[in-house]
Amino acid sequence: MGSIPAGIWVIASGVIIYGLYVGADIFAPLALAVFLWLVIEGFARMLQERFTKLPRWLAQLGAVLVILGATTAVIVIFIDGLNEFAKNAGAYETRINEVIVGVYKTFNINTVAPPDLSSMLFNMQNTKFVQPIIDSVQGLASSFVLIMIYIAFLFLAERNWPTKLDFIFPESKAREQAREVGHQVRKSMEQYLWVQTVISVIITIITYINLLILGLDNALFWAFIVFFLNYIPTIGSIVAAFLPGLFALAQPDWPSYMPADATLNAVIVLACVSIWQFAIGNFVQPRMMGESLNLSALVVLVSLAVWGAIWGIPGMFLSAPLTVLLMILFAQIPGVHWIAILLSADGKPIKLKTQQIAETEQIAEN
């Protein structure tokens, strides 16, 4: 690649990234809608495979109703959890203030008086740090209706895609390659989302049982927090393990069979949640994931930071599948094939059948 093409590529990348950042309110909900649509379509196809006489529209309707039902159930659980926290807010605040005083005494921090929870949370510095997270969550919630509208129009536009593809690629070879790229992207995204959902459900159920046995307040709420955080690569599972443990420090009352020391209880909660995250994430998930996420660990972290900076929390959730999408697309373009190699974990990005056939014919000619 010459210096001029490289320069053009850098400029184009900067313009695209800036456009995605400026248009986050439009593109982030659209990306979420596409991935939710893929989940619905995958579930609808599964219904049709099991019930062969089921019409496609009825399978899609069933899948939509299941997704809406699950979404409603999750919203109800979160609202109930927040209400439960609000009822016991005074007791939690008192316990946290006691922990802060204990920390100051343990480390012999000389000060007039240890700060309380309110002064720590609502000072200017911490507010500036937390506010972007709160704004991102509020923005995601407010975009829910827009996401639903996008999904509806995706279903309406689906039937015309084959015809549009024929017009865009009049040559049969190019059209076949475009269809294969689309099929591979769809297959990789669906497999990633399906495996990630199954893994998150398994971890959530085990976490809920563990937290229920240990006696942590609002165990169902924390289990669902763990479920959603597991969609964020690497960092999500770490945060998911630490949050219930940190909350355990603030819990004032525990069952009689648990130790009297709240710090020891927090360590037990952290250990119980972490061991399942580690075991399933390192032994079960790689076997189920297969080649759908052929990304190096460094690329996963960098993509998490980049997409998070561009789109906030939605970007973090979508960072891995979006990077896989880019890797598949780059692998088909000779000028940027090297980027796909750098993104892949084994240096072998996915090759399409048409690409493999072309390479075989070239070798035969030589």
Side-chain angles (χ1 to χ4, degrees):
M1 182 183 295
S3 59
I4 295 178
I8 293 174
W9 172 250
V10 170
I11 294 172
S13 299
V15 171
I16 292 171
I17 292 173
Y18 180 74
L20 292 174
Y21 175 76
V22 173
D25 292 339
I26 299 173
F27 295 121
L30 177 60
L32 286 170
V34 170
F35 284 102
L36 281 175
W37 175 75
L38 288 174
V39 172
I40 295 171
E41 279 289 284
F43 188 59
R45 276 200 301 277
M46 185 183 71
L47 289 176
Q48 281 192 297
E49 290 174 0
R50 296 204 172 190
F51 307 98
T52 53
K53 295 184 179 180
L54 190 68
R56 179 173 175 78
W57 68 268
L58 190 57
Q60 289 177 330
L61 178 61
V64 170
L65 291 177
V66 169
I67 297 298
L68 286 177
T71 303
T72 303
V74 168
I75 292 173
V76 170
I77 289 171
F78 271 94
I79 292 175
D80 287 344
L82 293 175
N83 288 334
E84 189 67 26
F85 285 129
K87 289 179 183 177
N88 302 314
Y92 294 141
E93 184 175 1
T94 301
R95 172 59 192 158
I96 292 172
N97 289 334
E98 292 175 358
V99 171
I100 294 172
V101 171
V103 170
Y104 270 67
K105 288 182 178 179
T106 301
F107 292 97
N108 294 319
I109 301 175
N110 296 320
T111 183
V112 177
D116 57 17
L117 179 63
S118 298
S119 62
M120 291 180 67
L121 285 180
F122 299 107
N123 61 55
M124 290 298 295
Q125 185 175 359
N126 288 339
T127 302
K128 290 179 181 179
F129 174 75
V130 176
Q131 193 61 44
I133 300 176
I134 296 175
D135 291 342
S136 185
V137 173
Q138 290 176 342
L140 185 60
S142 63
S143 300
F144 180 75
V145 175
L146 182 59
I147 291 171
M148 293 297 104
I149 294 173
Y150 279 144
I151 292 175
F153 277 91
L154 283 170
F155 278 116
L156 293 175
E158 180 186 12
R159 67 182 67 180
N160 296 322
W161 286 348
T163 304
K164 292 180 180 179
L165 195 65
D166 292 341
F167 287 129
I168 294 173
F169 301 99
E171 295 183 2
S172 59
K173 187 175 181 180
R175 185 165 60 247
E176 181 62 28
Q177 186 174 8
R179 283 176 178 169
E180 196 175 348
V181 169
H183 174 73
Q184 186 60 59
V185 168
R186 185 171 185 162
K187 178 183 175 183
S188 297
M189 297 302 100
E190 286 184 357
Q191 185 179 356
Y192 170 77
L193 291 171
W194 174 251
V195 171
Q196 199 66 34
T197 301
V198 171
I199 291 296
S200 296
V201 167
I202 294 172
I203 293 176
T204 299
I205 293 173
I206 296 175
T207 300
Y208 175 64
I209 295 172
N210 276 261
L211 296 181
L212 205 60
I213 293 173
L214 295 174
L216 188 72
D217 291 347
N218 236 339
L220 187 59
F221 175 85
W222 289 114
F224 272 89
I225 290 292
V226 170
F227 174 81
F228 286 105
L229 286 175
N230 271 285
Y231 281 92
I232 300 177
T234 309
I235 295 177
S237 60
I238 297 173
V239 175
F242 271 93
L243 283 180
L246 288 175
F247 174 74
L249 287 172
Q251 182 167 316
D253 301 317
W254 290 87
S256 57
Y257 53 82
M258 292 294 290
D261 187 356
T263 304
L264 180 57
N265 290 335
V267 173
I268 294 173
V269 170
L270 176 62
C272 287
V273 178
S274 299
I275 191 171
W276 294 114
Q277 291 278 1
F278 178 81
I280 295 175
N282 287 277
F283 297 104
V284 179
Q285 188 170 1
R287 293 177 180 271
M288 294 181 64
M289 194 67 73
E291 296 181 353
S292 64
L293 193 65
N294 183 25
L295 297 176
S296 69
L298 178 61
V299 168
V300 170
L301 286 175
V302 172
S303 66
L304 178 65
V306 171
W307 286 108
I310 296 173
W311 284 348
I313 292 179
M316 292 181 181
F317 279 100
L318 299 175
S319 61
L322 285 173
T323 307
V324 172
L325 168 64
L326 291 176
M327 182 181 66
I328 294 173
L329 295 177
F330 289 155
Q332 318 313 316
I333 305 173
V336 293
H337 185 266
W338 60 275
I339 298 179
I341 294 174
L342 291 177
L343 293 176
S344 64
D346 55 6
K348 299 176 181 178
I350 297 173
K351 289 186 178 182
L352 305 179
K353 292 180 180 178
T354 53
Q355 193 176 16
Q356 293 173 350
I357 292 171
E359 290 179 358
T360 304
E361 291 176 351
Q362 188 176 5
I363 292 173
E365 290 178 359
N366 295 334

